[in-house]
Amino acid sequence: MAEEAILGFLQNNEQITDSGQFSAEFNLDHNEVVNVIKSLHGFRYIDVQDIKKETWVLTDEGKKYAAEGSPEVQLFLAVPEEGSISKDELQKKLAPSVFKIGCSQAGKNKWVEMGKQVSRKVKHVEDKVKGQLLQIQEGKESDKDSIISLKARKLIVPQIWKGYSVKKGPNYAPERKKVATDLTRENLQNWKELEFKEYNFEAKGAPLEAGHLHALLKVRKQFKDIFVQMGFEEMPTNNFVESSFWNFDALFQPQQHPARDSHDTFFLKVPSTTRTLPEDYVEKVKRVHETGGYGSRGYNYDWKREEANKNLLRTHTTAVSSRMLYALAQKPFVPKKYFSIDRVFRNEAVDRTHLAEFHQIEGLICDRGLTLGDLIGVLKDFFSRLGMSKLRFKPAYNPYTEPSMEIFSYHEGLGKWVEIGNSGMFRPEMLLPMGLPEDVRVIAWGLSLERPTMILYGIDNIRDLFGHKVDLDLIKRNPICRIGI
Ligand code: FB9
């Protein structure tokens, strides 16, 4: 429809000066004409030039008066030709805004006598305002003054009208010839005769609606790569439910230790107790807790099997390390480098940086004659690969490591020393009951996945990172994670 009109018109005319007038002349919807112009221009059938015109459009109030008459005329007509009408009477006959504006305008135009009683001062009035509004509504020209007063009364507002002037283009033809836009099996029969549309190499590909990795998983991948680069093997962590034995007792953590009560740990109601434990090893753990051995005097308390049997949600992935080290001790000794990254659960108060669960990252090296120096060395190597080279170590305490150290790094961006983890040498009371050789030492360290992710992605509140309140957009938008490389 519009296309034939445009191409047809240009057959006998040099140009279409104004697409707006052209649409009105040929009774076409200007928006449709514009779309056709853009498309014909795309195929170079026509050349176009933008035309911008400032026009006026009616506001909703303006449209009302154009339809029902201006408020001052409505008021005038409500006043009886002869005699007068009380103001209250008059007010009831008109809508509040019409009465209010009508009074002031009719008063100003000296059409009526405004008092307790209202009467006409002229015989007849003409609704110029309505006329002017209709004029503008039909896109016809209006004089300056009426524009100014209508604008002042907020009955019209300015609008930019966009149109085009159109000329024949290099590919002009009275009718659009079918151009092939794709090389299909059919086209292959007669491609020589066909005209193919030019490739638009600027065209953006269809946005790929693909899945997006959560920031935590991107940082996890970086940590995994670093561990594997350093020759570590991942430990199997696919058991959130653990027995108190592997989570605490095997780590020489005494049964009355505060972390072992329900204030810090989630104990399970069902299944409440573990099914099997290696009995001979349990015996050794019982003894080392109660009376020590291996040079230790133990904790000197009654160790209870039922306490060790209690099932819980693991509070650290060190529970996996104890299982793996025990398994290692059951075979002829070979040095090992293990790591784990997975969820741990702590019954802690939730705040900006703490949830009841987080991901623990743990690394351990088990070999003969390892020293604290080796631990410091491997920590420097590990964290330097994370871009953290300035480290400081502060003596600390863990029930299962002695000596223990908290690790701090100077963070340029934050301009302060940040605690980036904890570490230590597993106690002989933990390793020897497992059956590991006397001279085997195990150095280990741990940190969280959430803290580095929050710092790297500038996330202030852990609840924005993890959990049901996470803004999906954050996941869509978060940039790739390239630590320390
Ligand atoms: O992750 C922690 N901090 C951190 C780590 C990296 C980082 O990188 C930034 C990009 C620059 C920034 C910060 N922390 C450990 C330190 C603190 O956040 C601490 O307040 C909270 N800790 C958690 C436990 O909270 C109760 C972080 C978590 C943690 C602490 C200790 C271990 C694991 C996780 C451990 C251990 C361990 C020790 C010895 C042997 C084996 C395991």
Side-chain angles (χ1 to χ4, degrees):
M1 177 63 178
E3 178 169 304
E4 290 72 23
I6 292 170
L7 291 176
F9 183 85
L10 287 172
Q11 204 164 10
N12 322 320
N13 300 275
E14 181 46 33
Q15 70 162 359
I16 296 174
T17 50
D18 177 327
S19 57
Q21 277 150 11
F22 177 83
S23 309
E25 234 165 274
F26 288 81
N27 207 3
L28 296 165
D29 162 44
H30 185 244
N31 294 331
E32 190 206 338
V33 168
V34 166
N35 292 339
V36 171
I37 285 174
K38 284 183 179 157
S39 160
L40 286 173
H41 184 228
F43 288 88
R44 306 310 317 278
Y45 278 79
I46 57 175
D47 285 341
V48 302
Q49 219 131 37
D50 294 16
I51 306 173
K52 281 199 176 46
K53 272 188 287 190
E54 190 182 62
T55 62
W56 295 93
V57 290
L58 276 53
T59 61
D60 296 350
E61 187 186 2
K63 290 188 185 116
K64 218 152 90 44
Y65 299 159
E68 304 157 9
S70 65
E72 53 268 40
V73 170
Q74 288 184 46
L75 181 125
F76 180 82
L77 297 174
V79 177
E81 291 181 20
E82 299 314 322
S84 66
I85 177 173
S86 75
K87 201 162 186 178
D88 304 346
E89 230 0 74
L90 188 54
Q91 185 157 11
K92 289 201 191 64
K93 291 174 78 173
L94 298 167
S97 62
V98 172
F99 174 77
K100 192 160 124 341
I101 297 170
C103 286
S104 62
Q105 290 298 331
K108 202 158 57 176
N109 302 349
K110 300 188 180 27
W111 289 352
V112 293
E113 185 58 48
M114 294 300 282
K116 280 203 98 9
Q117 289 298 111
V118 181
S119 59
R120 291 188 179 185
K121 288 171 74 171
V122 294
K123 281 266 160 286
H124 168 69
V125 297
E126 182 213 344
D127 198 339
K128 285 208 196 74
V129 170
K130 178 179 178 180
Q132 289 157 358
L133 288 170
L134 289 170
Q135 190 84 354
I136 289 170
Q137 203 163 42
E138 289 141 15
K140 299 197 187 86
E141 277 312 308
S142 299
D143 62 282
K144 269 253 147 284
D145 301 350
S146 53
I147 292 286
I148 292 163
S149 73
L150 290 176
K151 185 171 155 217
R153 290 178 63 170
K154 296 195 174 39
L155 301 182
I156 60 174
V157 286
Q159 186 184 56
I160 302 303
W161 176 87
K162 259 185 80 174
Y164 297 90
S165 71
V166 177
K167 284 202 179 75
K168 288 187 185 67
N171 303 350
Y172 173 78
E175 211 175 276
R176 184 200 289 256
K177 53 184 173 302
K178 281 262 147 285
V179 291
T181 56
D182 203 353
L183 195 53
T184 60
R185 200 167 60 71
E186 290 73 34
N187 289 351
L188 283 176
Q189 318 310 329
N190 60 341
W191 63 271
K192 284 212 174 61
E193 288 92 49
L194 284 179
E195 185 185 332
F196 282 87
K197 176 172 179 271
E198 306 220 351
Y199 268 104
N200 168 5
F201 294 107
E202 303 314 315
K204 294 251 177 301
L208 277 183
E209 273 315 315
H212 296 264
L213 273 182
H214 186 291
L216 273 173
L217 298 182
K218 291 179 180 177
V219 177
R220 183 178 73 174
K221 176 80 171 58
Q222 296 294 312
F223 276 102
K224 278 195 177 189
D225 291 352
I226 288 167
F227 273 118
V228 172
Q229 280 155 23
M230 293 174 71
F232 283 71
E233 297 168 50
E234 183 161 18
M235 293 186 266
T237 56
N238 55 336
N239 67 308
F240 293 167
V241 175
E242 182 58 278
S243 65
S244 293
F245 180 79
W246 292 110
N247 194 83
F248 290 124
D249 296 280
L251 296 173
F252 194 55
Q253 189 151 350
Q255 293 187 335
Q256 67 281 24
H257 187 286
R260 294 186 67 158
D261 66 23
S262 57
H263 292 99
D264 289 352
T265 299
F266 295 107
F267 288 94
L268 263 68
K269 281 204 180 55
V270 179
S272 61
T273 55
T274 192
R275 271 204 289 257
T276 62
L277 289 173
E279 293 310 325
D280 59 347
Y281 171 46
V282 172
E283 208 33 54
K284 293 197 181 83
V285 170
K286 171 181 174 64
R287 196 168 323 112
V288 76
H289 276 249
E290 290 187 337
T291 56
Y294 322 100
S296 168
R297 70 167 188 269
Y299 291 120
N300 187 23
Y301 71 97
D302 296 342
W303 185 87
K304 295 187 181 45
R305 176 58 181 270
E306 45 288 344
E307 186 59 33
N309 287 344
K310 286 181 179 167
N311 278 335
L312 44 77
L313 293 182
R314 64 172 176 226
T315 61
H316 47 198
T317 55
T318 319
V320 179
S321 305
S322 59
R323 282 173 174 276
M324 294 302 283
L325 289 169
Y326 173 74
L328 189 65
Q330 308 321 303
K331 297 180 296 243
F333 177 69
V334 286
K336 275 291 179 187
K337 293 199 268 191
Y338 282 137
F339 79 92
S340 61
I341 305 178
D342 209 334
R343 292 183 189 211
V344 297
F345 308 85
R346 296 189 182 178
N347 187 359
E348 274 171 353
V350 173
D351 64 19
R352 186 181 66 77
T353 60
H354 284 84
L355 288 175
E357 62 181 86
F358 67 93
H359 292 78
Q360 176 172 346
I361 301 171
E362 178 150 319
L364 71 87
I365 302 178
C366 175
D367 198 354
R368 300 182 187 282
L370 291 176
T371 68
L372 191 64
D374 293 313
L375 176 55
I376 292 174
V378 77
L379 289 174
K380 285 189 172 162
D381 180 359
F382 178 77
F383 284 108
S384 65
R385 293 165 187 255
L386 291 164
M388 290 179 256
S389 48
K390 252 187 346 206
L391 298 185
R392 278 197 319 192
F393 301 96
K394 179 179 164 213
Y397 171 79
N398 298 309
Y400 39 86
T401 52
E402 188 56 42
S404 309
M405 308 184 293
E406 275 171 2
I407 313 157
F408 289 79
S409 157
Y410 187 78
H411 194 280
E412 306 298 340
L414 301 172
K416 64 178 183 172
W417 285 92
V418 177
E419 183 191 349
I420 59 173
N422 192 305
S423 66
M425 301 190 70
F426 283 134
R427 299 182 70 104
E429 293 95 331
M430 168 186 167
L431 303 177
L432 297 175
M434 291 173 171
L436 285 167
E438 283 281 322
D439 62 343
V440 166
R441 302 270 178 282
V442 180
I443 55 179
W445 71 96
L447 61 156
S448 77
L449 181 60
E450 281 73 8
R451 288 298 296 136
T453 306
M454 288 170 75
I455 290 176
L456 287 162
Y457 284 88
I459 296 163
D460 180 57
N461 188 318
I462 196 165
R463 283 187 283 259
D464 301 336
L465 178 67
F466 196 54
H468 64 291
K469 290 205 190 109
V470 167
D471 151 10
L472 280 184
D473 260 1
L474 171 85
I475 294 178
K476 285 210 175 102
R477 270 189 325 273
N478 71 60
I480 71 168
C481 167
R482 301 290 282 275
I483 306 181
I485 302 175

